[in-house]
Amino acid sequence: MTDSNEIFFHRIENKDEKIVELFEKGFNRDIYCLFICINGKAKIQLEGKNYELGDGDVCIYTPERDIRILSISQNINGVLVGGSNKLIHNAIHSIFSAERVLYMRSNPTFHLEKEQRQKLFNLIESCFGIISEKVEYRQQSATNADFHDKTKKALLESVCFYVMDLYSRSRVFDTCSDQPKTTRSIILQKFLVSLYYNYIKVRTVEFYANQQGLSKRYFSTTIRTESGKTPKQWIEEIVIEEIKHFLANGNMTIKEIAYHFNFPSQSFFGKYFKQAVGISPREYRDREITK
């Protein structure tokens, strides 16, 4: 762990007595985190959706997501590594469009073959060995301290870029997302990035338009023209999809889910969901449980 607690690197092994505590300590609301499962199995829950990780599986945790560690096998072995949102956000968004970040958020796991995960493990271990160094001359030379800080940033970005490269190889993306950016596409991307961070608490079109200093009408027209969906449709689609995950899992009561998503009351939450889905939250949960 670095002095600033903004970067961490930890080996997860079955000999650790407080292994679940180590996992949960690594995941907090304002970080990006990567878990590489080398041996064993782990079952986790992200935003109400369950994922099972085995040998060679990788899970990417993105900021502002609820996570629960459901089970860990006795022979678990892996690497947990991460950094603060402040450090990693720009690196991720410099190579991934907002659409890809949202896709990654909804599809956080991927698999690496043995050679791939060994290369990734070696890179992470080497980079974080340097990043975590305590340099004695930092207080003696401002220039050297600056070099060390920039080296840490470059190494962390290298890990991010390589992970994104591996992730992209395992997933098929729409190539149109890599086309040159227009003014409209930039407005859309800024909206989706902001939506990604704020959808749990804020669901008004005015909020997202104001963030970019645009009128609601111009903002709505631009988003609809560029993406084929209105801002309201984007907001509702993401919110409803996340609510469905929570309802299908059943670990939280409907009242708790309503509170989590910042609805003023359970009644208002029920009306919002039924208007979008056609059935009540209770009916949806009952249907999913009986599947």
Side-chain angles (χ1 to χ4, degrees), residues 37-148:
C37 185
I38 298 174
N39 293 304
K41 293 185 180 298
K43 188 174 182 180
I44 65 173
Q45 183 184 100
L46 277 172
E47 296 293 318
K49 186 174 181 180
N50 293 349
Y51 299 90
E52 292 189 8
L53 306 174
D55 298 2
D57 288 335
V58 180
C59 180
I60 300 174
Y61 174 84
T62 50
E64 298 301 324
R65 306 209 75 193
D66 282 334
I67 184 167
R68 297 185 183 187
I69 312 302
L70 302 179
S71 64
I72 301 174
S73 67
Q74 291 297 314
N75 63 332
I76 193 73
N77 191 303
V79 177
L80 191 65
V81 58
S84 70
N85 183 14
K86 181 177 67 176
L87 288 176
I88 296 179
H89 175 83
N90 289 337
I92 297 294
H93 287 278
S94 70
I95 53 174
F96 265 21
S97 65
E99 294 90 338
R100 287 194 178 188
V101 172
L102 288 169
Y103 177 87
M104 182 174 69
R105 172 177 158 277
S106 299
N107 301 272
T109 62
F110 63 105
H111 182 77
L112 296 178
E113 299 302 326
K114 187 174 181 179
E115 184 178 354
Q116 289 178 313
R117 64 179 180 263
Q118 188 60 51
K119 286 181 178 178
L120 176 58
F121 177 80
N122 290 341
L123 174 64
I124 289 174
E125 190 171 47
S126 298
C127 289
F128 277 79
I130 297 172
I131 287 172
S132 300
E133 283 181 348
K134 294 184 181 296
V135 183
E136 298 297 335
Y137 55 68
R138 282 177 60 81
Q139 295 181 350
Q140 301 173 15
S141 167
T143 301
N144 286 338
D146 185 52
F147 282 153
H148 187 66

Side-chain angles (χ1 to χ4, degrees), residues 6-268:
E6 290 189 322
I7 304 171
F8 65 88
F9 174 72
H10 188 82
R11 292 174 183 267
I12 298 293
E13 297 177 333
N14 56 1
K15 66 181 181 181
D16 292 320
E17 295 181 359
K18 298 182 178 180
I19 191 167
V20 174
E21 183 180 325
L22 287 171
F23 261 103
E24 293 179 342
K25 185 178 180 181
F27 297 100
N28 67 63
R29 304 292 294 184
D30 196 37
I31 67 160
Y32 282 88
C33 186
L34 183 77
F35 174 64
I36 307 169
C37 185
I38 298 174
N39 293 304
K41 293 185 180 298
K43 188 174 182 180
I44 65 173
Q45 183 184 100
L46 277 172
E47 296 293 318
K49 186 174 181 180
N50 293 349
Y51 299 90
E52 292 189 8
L53 306 174
D55 298 2
D57 288 335
V58 180
C59 180
I60 300 174
Y61 174 84
T62 50
E64 298 301 324
R65 306 209 75 193
D66 282 334
I67 184 167
R68 297 185 183 187
I69 312 302
L70 302 179
S71 64
I72 301 174
S73 67
Q74 291 297 314
N75 63 332
I76 193 73
N77 191 303
V79 177
L80 191 65
V81 58
S84 70
N85 183 14
K86 181 177 67 176
L87 288 176
I88 296 179
H89 175 83
N90 289 337
I92 297 294
H93 287 278
S94 70
I95 53 174
F96 265 21
S97 65
E99 294 90 338
R100 287 194 178 188
V101 172
L102 288 169
Y103 177 87
M104 182 174 69
R105 172 177 158 277
S106 299
N107 301 272
T109 62
F110 63 105
H111 182 77
L112 296 178
E113 299 302 326
K114 187 174 181 179
E115 184 178 354
Q116 289 178 313
R117 64 179 180 263
Q118 188 60 51
K119 286 181 178 178
L120 176 58
F121 177 80
N122 290 341
L123 174 64
I124 289 174
E125 190 171 47
S126 298
C127 289
F128 277 79
I130 297 172
I131 287 172
S132 300
E133 283 181 348
K134 294 184 181 296
V135 183
E136 298 297 335
Y137 55 68
R138 282 177 60 81
Q139 295 181 350
Q140 301 173 15
S141 167
T143 301
N144 286 338
D146 185 52
F147 282 153
H148 187 66
D149 288 339
K150 288 180 178 178
T151 298
K152 290 201 307 183
K153 182 175 181 292
L155 290 172
L156 187 62
E157 288 181 344
S158 296
V159 172
C160 289
F161 294 154
Y162 189 55
V163 170
M164 294 301 98
D165 180 32
L166 293 172
Y167 182 86
S168 295
R169 292 185 215 175
S170 71
R171 299 285 182 174
V172 178
F173 291 112
D174 184 352
T175 55
C176 70
S177 63
D178 293 323
Q179 296 300 313
K181 291 181 174 60
T182 63
T183 299
R184 289 198 305 269
S185 68
I186 291 172
I187 291 173
L188 172 63
Q189 177 156 334
K190 286 182 177 180
F191 165 57
L192 292 178
V193 170
S194 178
L195 179 59
Y196 164 58
Y197 285 109
N198 295 293
Y199 74 94
I200 290 179
K201 299 297 182 184
V202 187
R203 287 180 287 276
T204 65
V205 176
E206 289 86 352
F207 172 83
Y208 296 101
N210 290 339
Q211 279 194 320
Q212 299 192 50
L214 303 173
S215 69
K216 179 182 175 181
R217 182 177 180 180
Y218 176 77
F219 176 74
S220 298
T221 301
T222 300
I223 299 301
R224 185 177 65 250
T225 301
E226 187 67 14
S227 69
K229 299 177 186 177
T230 66
K232 184 179 179 180
Q233 288 172 324
W234 272 110
I235 295 167
E236 184 177 279
E237 181 178 307
I238 290 176
V239 172
I240 291 297
E241 188 63 28
E242 294 298 323
I243 290 173
K244 284 180 177 179
H245 288 324
F246 278 76
L247 290 171
N249 182 266
N251 285 336
M252 294 173 67
T253 67
I254 292 176
K255 183 177 181 179
E256 287 172 336
I257 296 172
Y259 176 79
H260 174 77
F261 282 90
N262 201 37
F263 284 92
S265 67
Q266 184 175 335
S267 175
F268 190 89

